Amino acid sequence: MELEKIVEQHESQLQQQSKEIKQHSKEIARLSDMSVEIQKQMSEGLARVDESNRFLREQNTRQSEQNAQILQAVIKGNESSDEHQFQLKLLDKTNFWKLTIGIGGSAAAIFAALTEIIKLFFK
């Protein structure tokens, strides 16, 4: 009798362990499915991040090209402005000397004319 009880207890324990093993197997399968789903989501997320990074790199490249074009236009404008300023200064100096020579020449002509007029009156 006692041996039967021991055998029954052993069988009961085996059945209980079998149930636990099945539950563990189900839990492991569930966790494995979750792991696969998480890996899938991470892969999709990384693919989106890669696509976003590619887009941002393209935008950055275009922005850099635009900035280079703007910089070249500003530099060209500055050079043009510098050239214009130089031409204005040159024109100012040229006009100054023309005016000085013109005034000097006019003064000399007036002086010569007055001296001739004075010579005529006092002769």
Side-chain angles (χ1 to χ4, degrees):
M1 225 17 185
E2 218 162 290
L3 187 58
E4 285 180 20
K5 281 185 180 183
I6 293 174
V7 169
E8 283 178 20
Q9 270 184 335
H10 189 64
E11 282 180 7
S12 173
Q13 285 177 349
L14 287 175
Q15 287 175 354
Q16 181 64 27
Q17 287 177 351
S18 175
K19 286 180 184 178
E20 289 175 1
I21 289 173
K22 285 180 183 178
Q23 283 179 328
H24 286 302
S25 294
K26 286 179 183 179
E27 186 66 18
I28 288 172
R30 187 182 69 78
L31 292 174
S32 178
D33 291 343
M34 283 178 57
S35 174
V36 167
E37 184 63 30
I38 289 171
Q39 286 177 343
K40 180 181 173 186
Q41 289 175 356
M42 286 179 63
S43 294
E44 290 172 355
L46 289 175
R48 285 192 302 270
V49 167
D50 285 344
E51 184 66 28
S52 176
N53 284 344
R54 188 175 310 113
F55 174 76
L56 290 174
R57 277 192 302 273
E58 290 172 4
Q59 289 289 84
N60 190 24
T61 301
R62 278 187 239 134
Q63 186 66 42
S64 294
E65 290 170 357
Q66 287 176 348
N67 287 345
Q69 290 173 350
I70 291 169
L71 180 62
Q72 288 301 319
V74 168
I75 289 172
K76 191 174 183 178
N78 286 346
E79 289 173 353
S80 175
S81 176
D82 289 346
E83 178 66 25
H84 184 67
Q85 290 294 332
F86 176 75
Q87 292 295 330
L88 286 176
K89 286 179 184 178
L90 187 62
L91 187 61
D92 284 346
K93 287 181 182 180
T94 304
N95 286 342
F96 172 77
W97 287 111
K98 284 180 182 178
L99 184 63
T100 303
I101 291 172
I103 290 172
S106 298
I110 291 171
F111 180 74
L114 284 176
T115 24
E116 288 299 318
I117 291 173
I118 291 174
K119 282 182 187 178
L120 285 174
F121 284 119
F122 293 109
K123 235 186 190 189

